[in-house]
Amino acid sequence: MAYDEEKHLGQSVGEDLRKVASQSAFDVGSSNKATLEYDNATNDSILGKLRAFETSLDKKFGIESQAINRVLPEEKVPQLWHHQAMMALLWAGCTMNISCFSTGLLGWEFGLDFTQSITITIFGTLLGSMVSGWCAILGPGTGLRQISISRYSFGWWPSKLVAALNVISQIGWSSVGCITGGSALSAASSGRIGPIPGIIIIAVISSVINLCGLKMILSYEKGAWFVFFVVFMVMYGEMAPKADIKTKSTLAGADLHGQVLSLLAVVYGSSVSWASVAADYYVQYPITTSKTKVFILTTMGITISTCIGMVLGCCVGSTLAVNEDLANTYNNEGVGFLIQAMMYPRGFAKFILVILVLAGIGMNCINLYSCALSVQQFARPFARVPRFLWTILLFGIIIGIAIGGREHLNAYLQNFLSLLGYWATSFFVIIYIEHYLFRKGRFENYDLDGWNDPKRLPMGIAGLIAFLIGVVGWVLGMVETWFSGPLGLLIGSDGGDIANELCLVFTVVTYIPLRYLELRYIGR
């Protein structure tokens, strides 16, 4: 349907459908009245019935049937101190998990020693978290979800590519959460629950919580983080003393530099992956919310909680380097049985594993929620499909990927997390430059009422070309098990991943002149 043919809600529809449409409406007019591309659905149509069902659920349980709509300034309410504390606690509840612990084990995989692994882990996590923390500050100021914000630099059509990449990212993270959580559940049951049933159980619980919307997710994370923190402190007490801090890496010269760069890419990719969803969880905060507070709380919330899991993984990884039995347990039976083998007594170890299963669920809830939001932004018809249906569809996809990749967790983490860092770096650079250079760092310079109108958004030519040129940087500098770029291979015998560094440079030098030209000749 053409954009100028959009009808105001309530015209030529019944009272029940009028209520349904008002819940699903887009805010595209300067008057801030909700409007909707209406597809002549009736109360008897499948889509109409689904929207009515979603609206009834929204009224009863607050499942957020209008999730991607812009939250207007007058709709926001002042946030009390404990609400503001959620800027950090939200990330603490979803990153203190076995997935981060497993990522910390990769230092051993790369042949690095205890000190090297921890140093790279902390620095890489902080770097990626700072990027995510900056992206979060755009949420209160615009009232828009992160992918919607990208439309002001990528434009209407190219932003759909960003939405697709974000869906892939969140599905991948959720799959990792299901694999590690399933392994923990299998170990806790002494193998009575196999990895595949464990994966399905984790996916089901995550999807159920996600169906209830952001309020339920935040309630879960708000109380869960402290439990996970206590569990990890107990694990530190039992596992950290076993760390091998004396043995030094045998790597030297270019080989050492290459492995350091490759591990840095993986760790950075883990934390920067939140950059494409961070603003999703800040749209309810008033526009007067301190940007500095948002940045610091988000950055520290991600950094500290992620490092708690990863540094513990570094400790255990150093142990695997000198303990062949534990290394075999990890390689043959998975991370859950490794944790069980290292903790005493065995009954208590199983209890710890059950708690860690819940930690994986917390991460999956965040991923699934933002993933469904991104799917709704592929196309206008997709936005009219209820969010709960997308959640159910994603549930099936995640199960399939997790079951298929369950026996290759290390390779999965090394490749997937690096790829997350590549595209998230391009995403951040383009939005950052647009905000400070072309919009002078002021939200008043965004046409926020036109967030869902292609005619009022940039064409996105500069953003798309700069992003694609950044992809060239990925290809030249990446070092993956399935492909290594020519420049990455120049560093050491196994190569060194410099895709993020090349991507950043390529994107910056391309986007700035192209955006100037776009504004000059197109005007938006």
Side-chain angles (χ1 to χ4, degrees):
M1 182 176 292
Y3 301 118
D4 56 1
E5 293 178 355
E6 292 181 339
K7 299 179 180 180
H8 286 287
L9 298 178
Q11 291 179 345
S12 71
V13 295
E15 183 63 25
D16 291 339
L17 189 55
R18 186 179 303 130
K19 294 178 181 179
V20 173
S22 67
Q23 291 295 321
S24 306
F26 293 116
D27 169 32
V28 299
S30 59
S31 63
N32 289 329
K33 292 181 179 179
T35 57
L36 175 67
E37 281 188 285
Y38 194 65
D39 59 354
N40 296 322
T42 67
N43 283 323
D44 295 327
S45 70
I46 294 177
L47 187 59
K49 290 180 179 179
L50 289 174
R51 287 201 296 258
F53 176 65
E54 184 184 43
T55 301
S56 66
L57 290 179
D58 191 22
K59 291 179 179 179
K60 294 179 180 179
F61 307 110
I63 68 167
E64 300 172 66
S65 60
Q66 51 181 143
I68 67 171
N69 287 357
R70 179 188 170 214
V71 179
L72 302 177
E74 58 269 24
E75 295 174 338
K76 301 184 178 188
V77 296
Q79 302 291 311
L80 300 176
W81 70 268
H82 56 88
H83 294 135
Q84 295 189 13
M86 279 304 297
M87 295 179 192
L89 299 182
L90 166 68
W91 308 107
C94 72
T95 56
M96 278 190 286
N97 52 50
I98 307 180
S99 298
C100 287
F101 171 79
S102 299
T103 305
L105 295 171
L106 294 179
W108 162 63
E109 295 278 343
F110 283 86
L112 300 171
D113 60 40
F114 176 79
T115 302
Q116 293 166 340
S117 297
I118 287 184
T119 302
I120 297 166
T121 294
I122 295 175
F123 176 74
T125 301
L126 178 60
L127 194 62
S129 299
M130 290 174 67
V131 173
S132 299
W134 181 85
C135 289
I137 71 173
L138 302 177
T142 63
L144 293 170
R145 308 292 178 167
Q146 197 77 64
I147 299 302
S148 296
I149 295 170
S150 73
R151 294 175 177 178
Y152 290 92
S153 46
F154 285 90
W156 177 263
W157 293 108
S159 67
K160 298 181 185 300
L161 170 63
V162 175
L165 289 170
N166 194 45
V167 169
I168 294 171
S169 298
Q170 304 316 313
I171 286 177
W173 258 126
S174 295
S175 299
V176 171
C178 287
I179 293 171
T180 55
S183 175
L185 193 58
S186 180
S189 65
S190 298
R192 287 189 293 272
I193 298 177
I196 293 179
I199 287 171
I200 295 174
I201 291 172
I202 301 301
V204 168
I205 298 175
S206 302
S207 298
V208 169
I209 295 176
N210 182 62
L211 282 171
C212 298
L214 184 58
K215 293 180 181 179
M216 176 62 73
I217 293 173
L218 292 178
S219 297
Y220 177 87
E221 307 289 6
K222 182 168 60 177
W225 75 270
F226 182 73
V227 176
F228 304 151
F229 176 78
V230 171
V231 166
F232 268 95
M233 291 303 102
V234 172
M235 292 172 67
Y236 267 101
E238 292 211 27
M239 294 181 170
K242 303 172 185 177
D244 178 23
I245 62 176
K246 296 180 180 180
T247 303
K248 300 300 179 183
S249 173
T250 58
L251 297 172
D255 288 344
L256 175 60
H257 298 156
Q259 296 298 67
V260 167
L261 287 169
S262 294
L263 180 59
L264 179 63
V266 174
V267 175
Y268 165 80
S270 172
S271 296
V272 79
S273 63
W274 301 114
S276 60
V277 304
D280 295 356
Y281 305 96
Y282 296 82
V283 294
Q284 297 291 345
Y285 288 90
I287 59 176
T288 56
T289 304
S290 169
K291 296 178 184 178
T292 302
K293 181 182 294 185
V294 172
F295 174 76
I296 292 176
L297 288 177
T298 303
T299 300
M300 290 297 101
I302 297 175
T303 300
I304 295 173
S305 54
T306 300
C307 283
I308 286 175
M310 285 194 184
V311 170
L312 180 60
C314 293
C315 295
V316 175
S318 68
T319 304
L320 299 184
V322 295
N323 190 319
E324 187 175 347
D325 290 338
L326 288 176
N328 289 334
T329 299
Y330 174 61
N331 290 324
N332 298 327
E333 300 181 76
V335 64
F337 285 93
L338 170 64
I339 294 174
Q340 185 185 51
M342 296 191 70
M343 296 196 67
Y344 296 92
R346 290 287 182 257
F348 179 68
K350 292 182 179 181
F351 171 75
I352 292 294
L353 287 168
V354 171
I355 301 299
L356 291 176
V357 169
L358 299 178
I361 291 171
M363 181 183 74
N364 283 7
C365 289
I366 295 292
N367 295 324
L368 281 170
Y369 179 78
S370 289
C371 191
L373 294 179
S374 293
V375 172
Q376 286 185 308
Q377 298 187 70
F378 281 162
R380 288 178 183 268
F382 282 26
R384 295 197 298 272
V385 175
R387 187 178 64 85
F388 76 88
L389 285 184
W390 292 122
T391 300
I392 295 172
L393 176 62
L394 293 169
F395 159 77
I397 295 173
I398 289 167
I399 286 180
I401 294 175
I403 291 175
R406 70 187 186 281
E407 296 181 355
H408 307 283
L409 178 61
N410 286 342
Y412 197 117
L413 288 170
Q414 292 178 37
N415 292 275
F416 172 67
L417 293 182
S418 296
L419 287 171
L420 286 187
Y422 305 157
W423 90 265
T425 297
S426 291
F427 175 84
F428 160 71
V429 167
I430 291 172
I431 293 180
Y432 185 90
I433 294 174
E434 178 70 24
H435 182 71
Y436 285 112
L437 184 59
F438 296 102
R439 300 189 187 269
K440 311 303 179 184
R442 299 176 62 85
F443 294 115
E444 294 86 348
N445 293 330
Y446 289 78
D447 181 9
L448 294 175
D449 289 334
W451 74 274
N452 204 42
D453 185 350
K455 297 179 180 179
R456 297 168 66 175
L457 294 167
M459 291 289 291
I461 297 174
L464 177 60
I465 294 177
F467 189 85
L468 294 177
I469 295 298
V471 173
V472 176
W474 310 357
V475 175
L476 291 175
M478 68 167 54
V479 175
E480 307 288 352
T481 56
W482 54 275
F483 177 80
S484 294
L487 296 183
L489 283 174
L490 296 177
I491 307 173
S493 57
D494 295 324
D497 196 315
I498 54 172
N500 286 299
E501 293 84 347
L502 293 177
C503 168
L504 187 150
V505 174
F506 284 19
T507 306
V508 170
V509 300
T510 306
Y511 185 71
I512 294 176
L514 288 178
R515 185 65 173 126
Y516 272 118
L517 292 173
E518 186 177 36
L519 288 171
R520 180 175 180 179
Y521 292 104
I522 299 178
R524 57 187 173 97

